[in-house]
Amino acid sequence: MIRSEPRLFAVSLGGACLVVGLSIGSAFVIGAVVADVVAPMLDRGRVDAGLLAVAAAALLGVSALKVLGIFSRRLGAVHLQQSLQARQRKQIVRKYLSLPPAWHRDNPTGALLSNASSDVDAAASPAGSLAYAIATVFLLAGALTALFAVDWTLGLVGVVVFPGLVTVFAAYSRLVAPRHRRSQAIRAQVTALAHESFDGALTVKVMGREEHQTARFAAQVGELRGTLVSIGRARAWHDPVIDALPQLGTVAVLIVGAWRCEQGALGLSELTTAAFLFALLDMPIRAIGWLLGALPRAVAGAERVDRVLVAPDAPPYGSAEVSGPAELRFARVGVRSLDDVSFRVAPGRVVAVVGQTGAGKSSVAAVAARLLPPESGAVLLGGVDVRELSAAAYARAVAYLPQVPFLFQDSVRANVTLDRPGLDDDAVWQALAVAQADGFVRALPDGLDTTVGERGAALSGGQRQRLALARALAGRPRLLVLDDATSAVDPVVEADILAGLRAAHGPAMLVVATRRPAIALADEVVYLEGGRVAATGTHQELMAGEPGYRELLAAYDRRVAA
């Protein structure tokens, strides 16, 4: 924390140290005022207005400086804490965007939300009292030194009380640390289950499983409640003990001090100073308590945040550019379910990838879209290994559409342009026309300004797919990768879309297809079996020479007919 925001920490610590120094100094000032001003006036039975005004001015001056110190300490602490949280949240989101799809598949969205919210809050929570607690250590050391300077017997009282505070803090931290780790983990589970419930609300209602889902959520919340209550029980004995020790110390100082006064070894001024020093320790000791009380939860949150930040990124981009036609070539690619896959997609050509469920069709599309790095072999685009291309070059050259498109809760125009430069309304309408989406967009209440709802909820499945296709086309890619991206569209419209794509821009197209009209339009078909290329050729050639291919398309036809 200190290294990340040194200036803000310096402001907070400077203010805290000023308060600490003035707190110790004020004990001596008050002792002097009581012994040299107030007590003599009481003895004489007469008030000296001038002397009293000087004493009041001294006390007010000390208080004014303490106000300045408190202001600096708190302002610096707030800025420090909020700056840390903002920085960590930006780091986490930036990290999310750099992590490979496999990592996201293994980590539910709710857990990611918890990392960026409650875990960051927990990790930065000590920043609010960090500077004050550090300055309090100086206060404790200064107060102990001052007590020995006043009288060695009073110093011994401090030697007994202060280690007792440290012992209580250590016992408390050791007790609650595992409970805080558990609570942060359960918070993530609760957030994940809540997010899942929101996303699956329609399914839950249609299946009549509201009570079941509510019971699942209640069980998780109950477990979180129990863990937090156990932490509260620990604090229930910790806080009173921390509050009581300084008070017991003050009583001990008064008893020992009165005995030393009777012996003549101590005066009223010294006794008042010593008692006030112990009285001053109440709030600083609370500050240490706040810090140490927050540390176990902070450590748990920081561990969960660090787990994200240290996760290995997706393979880095290079610096190469694509020049000339963007021919796609798989050269003996092996990864996950694929083994020794080789084929090419020439510029302006349409290649359909066909195979039974689990044959590796989506893996081919993911590798082509650089979402899944090959473990062996290479993928070349325009003769350049895609791993060597820069991110900007790849984004300009390749557009990828999954079967389930994602739309932002924004207007049609914003979803198509994504704020990319050079895309005016004419370019938007042109892309919509090729995607066979211009008709339904014109019929929307506000046309291009119509908000499509969260994830495109205001549109049908086919409309969402066509709008996502228009988004990809608006950037004029040289390679278009469609992973069954028109499956929700009418077969006739699907054929019109593919024909329009070929006529409009002539990009190389790799299409994962599951319907005969789309397959028949392809210039070449890559037939996969068990993650390997079983055959390649035109639709007619495979129908004539591959029994497995014929049976697969017959199954597709039966599914469409049903």
Side-chain angles (χ1 to χ4, degrees), residues 60-274:
L60 289 174
V62 171
S63 298
L65 290 174
K66 286 181 69 174
V67 168
L68 177 62
I70 292 172
F71 177 80
S72 299
R73 170 176 61 81
R74 290 185 176 176
L75 184 64
V78 169
H79 276 275
L80 175 64
Q81 186 171 8
Q82 298 305 318
S83 297
L84 288 169
Q85 290 179 353
R87 176 180 287 104
Q88 282 198 324
R89 286 196 173 98
K90 288 187 286 188
Q91 288 176 337
I92 286 179
V93 171
R94 192 179 300 115
K95 185 69 176 183
Y96 286 162
L97 297 176
S98 70
L99 289 169
W103 189 91
H104 285 278
R105 284 195 296 269
D106 295 337
N107 292 271
T109 302
L112 306 189
L113 292 172
S114 180
N115 289 146
S117 55
S118 63
D119 289 335
V120 169
D121 288 341
S125 58
S129 55
L130 178 62
Y132 193 25
I134 291 175
T136 297
V137 174
F138 300 139
L139 175 59
L140 292 177
L144 188 59
T145 302
L147 285 173
F148 273 106
V150 171
D151 188 77
W152 66 270
T153 58
L154 301 182
L156 291 177
V157 174
V159 168
V160 172
V161 172
F162 296 160
L165 293 171
V166 175
T167 301
V168 173
F169 291 149
Y172 171 76
S173 297
R174 182 171 298 180
L175 178 65
V176 301
R179 302 181 188 182
H180 275 295
R181 290 191 183 92
R182 178 61 181 159
S183 71
Q184 289 302 113
I186 299 175
R187 285 177 196 272
Q189 294 171 8
V190 169
T191 306
L193 184 55
H195 184 271
E196 182 182 65
S197 298
F198 302 151
D199 270 2
L202 293 180
T203 301
V204 171
K205 292 183 71 65
V206 168
M207 300 299 294
R209 302 304 294 161
E210 295 94 331
E211 292 185 3
H212 168 73
Q213 195 70 3
T214 301
R216 288 181 64 202
F217 190 73
Q220 291 280 3
V221 172
E223 188 175 359
L224 176 61
R225 174 187 176 276
T227 304
L228 294 177
V229 167
S230 70
I231 295 173
R233 290 196 190 100
R235 294 210 68 162
W237 65 259
H238 169 264
D239 292 351
V241 171
I242 293 301
D243 287 343
L245 283 175
Q247 307 301 325
L248 294 175
T250 302
V251 172
V253 163
L254 291 175
I255 293 173
V256 174
W259 170 65
R260 294 289 285 169
C261 284
E262 288 182 358
Q263 292 182 333
L266 201 65
L268 178 60
S269 174
E270 290 82 2
L271 178 59
T272 304
T273 297

Side-chain angles (χ1 to χ4, degrees), residues 210-535:
E210 295 94 331
E211 292 185 3
H212 168 73
Q213 195 70 3
T214 301
R216 288 181 64 202
F217 190 73
Q220 291 280 3
V221 172
E223 188 175 359
L224 176 61
R225 174 187 176 276
T227 304
L228 294 177
V229 167
S230 70
I231 295 173
R233 290 196 190 100
R235 294 210 68 162
W237 65 259
H238 169 264
D239 292 351
V241 171
I242 293 301
D243 287 343
L245 283 175
Q247 307 301 325
L248 294 175
T250 302
V251 172
V253 163
L254 291 175
I255 293 173
V256 174
W259 170 65
R260 294 289 285 169
C261 284
E262 288 182 358
Q263 292 182 333
L266 201 65
L268 178 60
S269 174
E270 290 82 2
L271 178 59
T272 304
T273 297
F276 191 73
L277 281 172
F278 261 95
L280 283 176
L281 297 180
D282 181 58
M283 282 306 296
I285 286 175
R286 286 177 183 268
I288 292 181
W290 294 332
L291 177 64
L292 296 184
L295 278 179
R297 178 171 176 248
V299 170
E303 288 174 348
R304 292 176 57 79
V305 169
D306 289 342
R307 181 185 65 86
V308 175
L309 297 181
V310 301
D313 292 337
Y317 286 91
S319 57
E321 298 288 328
V322 179
S323 60
E327 177 188 78
L328 175 69
R329 185 159 67 91
F330 273 52
R332 309 196 69 175
V333 171
V335 61
R336 198 189 295 168
S337 58
L338 302 179
D339 181 24
D340 198 30
V341 173
S342 297
F343 64 88
R344 62 187 290 268
V345 183
R349 304 277 287 178
V350 179
V351 173
V353 180
V354 178
Q356 295 182 350
T357 301
K361 302 186 298 296
S362 291
S363 294
V364 167
V367 171
R370 208 180 182 276
L371 297 176
L372 187 63
E375 298 171 359
S376 61
V379 179
L380 305 177
L381 186 65
V384 181
D385 192 316
V386 296
R387 290 169 289 198
E388 299 175 3
L389 294 175
S390 68
Y394 196 84
R396 288 192 298 267
V398 180
Y400 167 71
L401 273 82
Q403 181 177 0
V404 180
F406 182 87
L407 297 182
F408 297 92
Q409 189 173 355
D410 209 330
S411 66
V412 171
R413 180 187 292 103
N415 270 283
V416 174
T417 65
L418 292 184
D419 202 28
R420 289 173 287 183
L423 294 182
D424 56 15
D425 282 2
D426 289 339
V428 171
W429 283 115
Q430 184 178 357
L432 290 171
V434 176
Q436 301 289 306
D438 55 330
F440 80 78
V441 171
R442 293 184 192 281
L444 294 174
D446 298 313
L448 292 178
D449 295 316
T450 302
T451 300
V452 300
E454 185 177 8
R455 296 176 179 266
L459 304 177
S460 69
Q463 289 173 335
R464 288 195 292 269
Q465 285 188 335
R466 282 181 278 171
L467 198 58
L469 177 59
R471 172 200 295 162
L473 295 174
R476 295 186 176 273
R478 284 177 281 176
L479 172 65
L480 191 60
V481 181
L482 306 179
D483 185 5
D484 207 12
T486 53
S487 58
V489 177
D490 181 89
V492 176
V493 176
E494 181 182 35
D496 290 340
I497 291 174
L498 293 177
L501 286 172
R502 186 191 299 235
H505 299 297
M509 284 191 288
L510 179 65
V511 181
V512 173
T514 58
R515 291 194 291 198
R516 184 185 291 265
I519 298 171
L521 282 172
D523 298 301
E524 185 179 11
V525 177
V526 176
Y527 174 49
L528 298 178
E529 282 187 349
R532 301 178 66 91
V533 177

